[in-house]
């Protein structure tokens, strides 16, 4: 059964291939374009293989698989997209290339065609410059792997119309994805709010507060994360993660809280990129990851928990030990960035949904703060601001300060960053 609803996909790399699969399974007729048609043919063959696996696992029927594969097509000319429902660009992260693609689409597509860019780091406003139909362009940011991850960030540029955002939500729903809305800003929600998860872990390592295995263990045992920050860095690729950090750092005009880590930079320069190179923070060559990075540890024998940390730990039902302190130093910075984001470019709920669905957080950072109690989080943030030498990442965001001043303390008052009333 061939659909009359057309999805155009520009690019057949990892993300383009994944988006095409999502579209075909959902019911779109998918036209995929690439500089070499054979790349699309190869991508479609990979999709067919994955769907064969889904059939073998009982996740879809043979008929559903065959119908989805029949919806995959190799695009020949952008003219075929003149009346498409939506076109999603998933080309490499090169601004000039993306601008060229959308200029061509602007020439051939009618005003009714929704245009989306899957960029994870480039400005929607900059991509849309000079377009006749800039109001029809938005960010439609999928997470990798696109067929598996349920989240889509819908990014509204300054020229993007509200109607375009409404239609973007409809596309996300048709693809069985959960959309979150965010204003155009470096890193959008996820790649911005998640920066401190890595950067503060790296800072603790640099200062000799703990080794990589201890930090990873604290985040997993206290926070319930499946992987610690250094394990995740190795999985993602230190070079890819560093590129995102640099993009966010430069996009915000180089604030200290997003400054890339010299440790990570040196490892990337040495070719130690993580699992894909066999070595990053861990050595992966023998199948049993072993720490591959060591730094001098400072004497922490005289360390004692503060009153705020003790209260924070009590709220979580955990001891106020050194592991709790390591976890808190990381997660409180994430909470603070989440608050900044919720106060400027996104709804608090969408911040938490993004971190839970896009980054596998066991609980969104703002929901966690509400659970602990915002006065406790505020006091602990003040402690960390002092002990870190006034680090910008612990300067409490204005939204947190307003909520505490207004008596909106989280779950205990039924309102904090989020609403908790029944």
């Amino acid at each position: 059964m061939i659909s009359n609803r057309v999805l155009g996909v520009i690019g057949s790399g990892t993300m383009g291939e994944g988006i095409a699969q999502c579209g075909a399974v959902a019911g779109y007729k998918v036209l995929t374009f690439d500089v070499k048609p054979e790349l699309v043919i190869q991508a479609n063959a990979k999709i067919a293989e994955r769907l064969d696996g889904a059939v073998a696992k009982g996740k879809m029927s043979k008929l559903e698989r065959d119908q989805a594969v029949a919806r995959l097509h190799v695009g020949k000319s952008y003219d075929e997209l003149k009346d498409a429902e939506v076109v999603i660009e998933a080309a490499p992260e090169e601004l000039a290339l993306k601008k060229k693609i959308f200029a061509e689409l602007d020439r051939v597509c009618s005003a009714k065609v929704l245009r989306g860019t899957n960029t994870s780091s480039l400005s929607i406003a900059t991509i849309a410059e000079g377009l006749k139909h800039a109001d029809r362009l938005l960010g439609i940011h999928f997470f990798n792997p696109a067929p598996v991850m349920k989240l889509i960030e819908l990014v509204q540029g300054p020229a993007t119309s509200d109607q375009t955002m409404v239609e973007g939500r409809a596309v996300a729903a048709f693809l069985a994805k959960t959309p979150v809305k965010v204003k155009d800003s470096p890193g959008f929600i996820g790649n911005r709010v998640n920066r401190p998860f890595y950067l503060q872990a790296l800072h603790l390592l640099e200062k000799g507060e703990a080794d990589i295995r201890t930090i990873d263990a604290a985040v997993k045992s206290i926070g319930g994360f499946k992987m610690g920050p250094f394990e995740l860095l190795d999985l993602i690729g230190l070079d890819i993660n560093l590129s995102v950090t640099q993009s966010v750092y430069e996009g915000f005009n180089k604030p200290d809280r997003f400054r890339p880590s010299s440790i990570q930079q040196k490892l990337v320069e040495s070719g130690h990129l993580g699992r894909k190179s066999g070595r990053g923070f861990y050595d992966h060559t023998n199948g049993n990851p072993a720490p591959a990075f060591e730094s001098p540890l400072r004497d922490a024998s005289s360390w004692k928990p503060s009153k705020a940390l003790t209260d924070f730990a009590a709220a979580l039902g955990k001891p106020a030990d050194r592991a709790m302190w390591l976890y808190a130093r990381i997660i409180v910075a994430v909470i603070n960035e989440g608050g900044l984001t919720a106060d400027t470019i996104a709804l608090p709920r969408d911040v938490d949904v993004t971190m839970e669905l896009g980054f596998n957080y066991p609980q969104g950072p703002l929901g966690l703060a509400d659970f602990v109690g915002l006065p406790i989080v505020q006091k602990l943030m003040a402690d960390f601001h002092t002990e870190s030498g006034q680090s910008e990442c612990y300067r409490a965001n204005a939204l947190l300060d307003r909520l505490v001043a207004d008596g909106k303390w989280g779950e205990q008052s039924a309102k904090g960053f989020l609403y908790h009333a029944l």
Side-chain angles (χ1 to χ4, degrees):
M1 180 178 177
I2 304 300
S3 174
N4 59 0
R5 303 181 68 171
V6 176
L7 163 65
V9 179
I10 314 298
S12 60
T14 300
M15 292 306 299
E17 180 185 309
I19 294 167
Q21 178 177 330
C22 292
V25 169
Y28 279 117
K29 174 183 177 181
V30 181
L31 297 175
T32 304
F33 297 77
D34 210 313
V35 288
K36 295 180 180 179
E38 57 267 30
L39 296 177
V40 180
I41 294 171
Q42 293 170 9
N44 288 348
K46 291 178 184 177
I47 293 171
E49 288 179 10
R50 283 200 295 274
L51 296 183
D52 286 338
V55 172
K57 294 177 181 177
K59 294 183 177 180
M60 67 188 314
S61 69
K62 179 67 164 54
L63 175 61
E64 290 170 330
R65 177 266 183 209
D66 292 345
Q67 289 176 336
V69 170
R71 297 186 190 110
L72 295 168
H73 300 271
V74 180
K76 298 181 177 65
S77 167
Y78 283 176
D79 290 333
E80 297 174 272
L81 299 173
K82 63 180 181 179
D83 293 316
E85 181 175 325
V86 56
V87 180
I88 300 175
E89 167 272 315
E93 288 286 88
E94 299 170 13
L95 179 59
L97 174 59
K98 292 181 185 292
K99 287 180 71 70
K100 179 182 178 182
I101 288 170
F102 283 106
E104 293 177 7
L105 291 173
D106 211 37
R107 178 180 57 82
V108 301
C109 292
S110 70
K112 74 174 187 178
V113 178
L114 195 67
R115 291 106 155 135
T117 172
N118 185 55
T119 183
S120 60
S121 61
L122 298 176
S123 165
I124 307 302
T126 304
I127 294 173
E129 286 176 352
L131 295 181
K132 178 173 59 175
H133 298 299
D135 62 309
R136 298 297 286 156
L137 175 64
L138 77 162
I140 303 181
H141 180 218
F142 289 76
F143 285 71
N144 190 29
V148 176
M149 302 297 281
K150 295 298 184 183
L151 184 75
I152 290 179
E153 287 180 314
L154 298 179
V155 189
Q156 185 169 22
T160 308
S161 71
D162 290 341
Q163 179 60 34
T164 293
M165 296 301 291
V166 170
E167 292 177 33
R169 283 188 176 275
V171 169
F174 189 72
L175 295 173
K177 302 296 185 182
T178 299
V180 293
K181 178 182 174 182
V182 56
K183 293 179 182 178
D184 191 15
S185 181
F188 311 140
I189 298 174
N191 280 323
R192 172 183 176 176
V193 175
N194 206 40
R195 285 309 92 203
F197 185 80
Y198 306 111
L199 289 173
Q200 289 311 303
L202 286 159
H203 184 73
L204 291 168
L205 179 67
E206 183 179 6
K207 294 298 182 182
E209 299 290 358
D211 58 40
I212 60 171
R213 182 161 276 176
T214 300
I215 295 171
D216 277 349
V219 169
K220 291 188 291 184
S221 64
I222 305 297
F225 286 81
K226 293 181 180 179
M227 300 182 74
F230 297 105
E231 292 171 325
L232 276 168
L233 283 165
D234 276 9
L235 176 64
I236 295 165
L238 272 66
D239 54 336
I240 293 172
N241 179 274
L242 178 60
S243 176
V244 174
T245 298
Q246 288 172 328
S247 177
V248 173
Y249 176 59
E250 292 167 7
F252 278 103
N253 199 25
K254 301 183 177 180
D256 283 342
R257 73 184 192 277
F258 291 134
R259 186 181 302 279
S261 164
S262 60
I263 290 175
Q264 187 175 2
Q265 289 174 319
K266 289 174 183 177
L267 286 173
V268 170
E269 290 167 2
S270 300
H272 300 317
L273 308 180
R275 290 190 185 185
K276 62 186 176 184
S277 68
R279 179 176 174 179
F281 285 101
Y282 292 90
D283 186 336
H284 302 271
T285 54
N286 65 2
N288 184 25
F293 183 91
E294 294 183 5
S295 60
L297 298 179
R298 76 174 191 85
D299 182 8
S301 59
S302 61
W303 176 86
K304 293 181 180 179
S306 68
K307 172 68 164 56
L309 182 70
T310 301
D311 291 342
F312 184 84
L316 297 178
K318 304 274 188 178
D321 56 13
R322 188 73 175 171
M324 175 60 70
W325 180 81
L326 292 170
Y327 166 69
R329 279 290 296 262
I330 294 170
I331 203 64
V332 165
V334 174
I335 290 169
N336 202 27
E337 197 62 44
L340 285 167
T341 301
D343 200 27
T344 52
I345 62 169
L347 294 172
R349 170 197 169 275
D350 282 354
V351 170
D352 272 9
V353 168
T354 298
M355 304 318 293
E356 290 167 2
L357 296 185
F359 294 86
N360 294 314
Y361 274 49
Q363 182 179 13
L366 302 184
L368 174 64
D370 279 0
F371 175 78
V372 169
L374 298 192
I376 294 173
V377 172
Q378 185 189 51
K379 290 173 184 175
L380 186 56
M381 205 173 289
D383 283 355
F384 289 164
H385 187 248
T386 299
E387 71 182 36
S388 65
Q390 285 71 53
S391 173
E392 180 187 2
C393 69
Y394 299 115
R395 186 183 301 125
N397 64 84
L399 177 56
L400 173 62
D401 285 345
R402 290 198 306 271
L403 291 170
V404 172
D406 292 343
K408 298 173 181 177
W409 293 355
E411 291 189 15
Q412 61 185 294
S413 62
K415 173 69 174 75
F417 285 114
L418 306 168
Y419 288 97
H420 303 278
L422 295 176

